[in-house]
Amino acid sequence: MKKLPQISEAEYEIMKILWSDFPLSTNEVSERAQQSHSWNQKTIHTLLSRLTAKHVISYEQHGRMYYYFPLISQKKYLEQENHIFLNRFYDGEIAPMLSSLLSNTELSDSDLKNLYDIINSKIKSGDQ
């Protein structure tokens, strides 16, 4: 798998906006980001510039407006981040991570059933 660039938590918030709907103008990204963060427009422009420099987003210019879109998929980025997390904190072993999750997190019966179904499906498909 080609290594994707690391992005900060703030940059990730901008990525989530662009993954949910694109292309978006600078103003649209700003409006959506300001709904959940107290960032000013300069901060948002800086985040967009950083993401562009990292080649995870790009833009098209129409007149005086810039329209941004992601160059990497959310799925691919999350796969990489999950792999990094698993290796960093659990030496690449999923069983200790699941054990910790199950022991230290309040999970509903629905959550537990969903986990069971995922694991059971994986076993049945032979995807190991």
Side-chain angles (χ1 to χ4, degrees):
M1 164 174 34
K2 178 185 167 199
K3 185 159 174 39
L4 303 172
Q6 291 296 118
I7 58 176
S8 70
E9 286 185 46
E11 291 166 344
Y12 184 71
E13 293 300 315
I14 299 297
M15 290 303 297
K16 288 193 308 189
I17 291 167
L18 290 170
W19 280 321
S20 70
D21 187 23
F22 62 89
L24 292 174
S25 70
T26 307
N27 291 341
E28 291 169 324
V29 173
S30 293
E31 287 170 11
R32 292 180 189 197
Q34 289 171 337
Q35 289 174 1
S36 55
H37 299 86
S38 59
W39 299 332
N40 64 38
Q41 289 227 312
K42 186 170 173 50
T43 300
I44 295 164
H45 286 225
T46 299
L47 293 170
L48 289 167
S49 294
R50 286 181 187 168
L51 290 166
T52 302
K54 291 179 180 185
H55 304 289
V56 293
I57 67 170
S58 190
Y59 61 87
E60 291 179 352
Q61 186 174 359
H62 298 283
R64 297 180 65 198
M65 291 298 290
Y66 291 86
Y67 290 85
Y68 291 89
F69 54 91
L71 294 175
I72 62 172
S73 73
Q74 185 173 24
K75 181 179 188 265
K76 287 288 182 198
Y77 190 75
L78 291 177
E79 284 174 3
Q80 174 178 287
E81 288 301 302
N82 288 336
H83 184 74
I84 290 168
F85 176 83
L86 192 61
N87 284 333
R88 181 175 177 199
F89 294 105
Y90 295 98
D91 295 324
E93 298 291 326
I94 197 161
M97 184 193 76
L98 275 174
S99 176
S100 176
L101 176 69
L102 293 170
S103 299
N104 300 314
T105 306
E106 284 190 35
L107 298 171
S108 69
D109 288 345
S110 175
D111 289 334
L112 291 170
K113 182 175 179 341
N114 287 339
L115 283 171
Y116 174 81
D117 290 344
I118 291 166
I119 292 168
N120 198 33
S121 173
K122 194 83 165 163
I123 290 169
K124 285 182 180 177
S125 73
D127 255 356
Q128 300 168 2

